[in-house]
Amino acid sequence: MSHTLDHQALSMACPSCDLIYDMSGLKDGDRANCHRCGHRLTTYRADELHRVIAYGSSALIMLLLSCSFPFLSFKASGLESVITLPQTVYKLWLNNMPDLAVLVGAFILGVPALVLGMMIWMAVHLIRKQPHPWLPLVGRIVFTLQAWSMVEVFFIGVLVSLVKIAKMATVVMGVSFWSYGAFFILFTMTLATLDRYQCWRRIDALESSDVKHEVKDADR
């Protein structure tokens, strides 16, 4: 059974060149690109919201695991040091770097968890077609905070650092390290799955239907 956007004509302006496109009639899996500048406009997936919930929930579980076990352990000259992700933030705080501690904790743990939680909350309401006055605000926060998440920067930075540290000490990557790696992949998949245009189209449609119901109730 094919899913098609066959309701009223839907238009969108290309973010790069402002050319207007009619988005009605997209089928499941179709991708729309601007033929003038090549910018990707939208990808329509009928199961997009279910994927967001699946990927987002799995990512939150991996994030919880990454905060519950040792991240890395270092062995050198008979001495061993073990550190966890929360301890990373705590050590920065103890070393008179509170600003950096807050930034690290926010961008690698707090903001990603907040974004995932909001995305799941939003997807559940859209799947159930439950209007909520906070949906537009949550949508704006989600798409704004995506640019402030530094999960990939942190994880790639750790990998680069390990190459240098491995020459000075024996490095053992703990359960938390692999969990955070899985979280990084799932988090990226969650962000990539939620299409901005389709998300706002669903929110607008839900708000419009809610207004129509209110008008009908008022006329009775």
Side-chain angles (χ1 to χ4, degrees):
M1 177 178 173
S2 62
H3 300 268
T4 308
L5 295 176
D6 53 5
H7 41 275
Q8 74 269 21
L10 302 169
S11 59
M12 176 185 180
C14 175
S16 297
C17 65
D18 293 329
L19 190 64
I20 304 298
Y21 287 92
D22 178 11
M23 292 298 172
S24 61
L26 288 179
K27 297 180 180 179
D28 186 22
D30 285 352
R31 174 181 295 181
N33 296 309
C34 178
H35 68 262
R36 177 190 287 174
C37 65
H39 185 89
R40 186 179 72 84
L41 302 175
T42 183
T43 300
Y44 175 64
R45 299 185 185 91
D47 62 345
E48 174 182 284
L49 298 176
H50 292 86
R51 291 189 184 193
V52 168
I53 294 175
Y55 294 150
S57 301
S58 301
L60 284 176
I61 293 173
M62 290 297 105
L63 181 60
L64 180 61
L65 290 175
S66 66
C67 293
S68 305
F69 295 93
F71 188 74
L72 293 171
S73 63
F74 306 94
K75 297 179 181 179
S77 303
L79 300 176
E80 182 178 4
S81 177
V82 180
I83 191 169
T84 64
L85 279 178
Q87 284 177 342
T88 303
V89 179
Y90 182 63
K91 293 292 184 181
L92 289 172
W93 187 279
L94 289 181
N95 287 306
N96 298 321
M97 292 183 285
D99 296 340
L100 184 58
V102 171
L103 291 175
V104 170
F107 292 143
I108 71 171
L109 298 175
V111 171
L114 179 63
V115 169
L116 288 173
M118 286 185 167
M119 290 176 72
I120 294 171
W121 180 88
M122 186 168 56
V124 169
H125 277 270
L126 292 177
I127 288 175
R128 294 181 177 178
K129 296 184 178 180
Q130 295 177 337
H132 196 287
W134 286 8
L135 268 176
L137 175 62
V138 171
R140 286 192 291 270
I141 293 174
V142 164
F143 290 114
T144 300
L145 289 182
Q146 283 183 6
W148 291 95
S149 175
M150 301 296 175
V151 173
E152 66 282 357
V153 175
F154 171 75
F155 194 71
I156 293 174
V158 170
L159 293 177
V160 173
S161 299
L162 287 178
V163 176
K164 298 180 179 180
I165 297 175
K167 298 178 180 179
M168 301 180 290
T170 302
V171 181
V172 178
M173 292 168 284
V175 175
S176 174
F177 177 87
W178 301 110
S179 298
Y180 198 85
F183 163 72
F184 159 57
I185 296 173
L186 289 167
F187 181 74
T188 304
M189 292 173 66
T190 307
L191 297 185
T193 299
L194 186 65
D195 185 89
R196 183 187 294 262
Y197 170 76
Q198 298 300 333
C199 179
W200 284 117
R201 181 189 64 80
R202 290 183 172 100
I203 292 176
D204 290 341
L206 197 57
E207 286 191 315
S208 299
S209 64
D210 186 39
V211 170
K212 290 180 181 179
H213 286 311
E214 290 180 356
V215 172
K216 289 182 180 178
D217 292 339
D219 292 339
R220 290 178 181 176

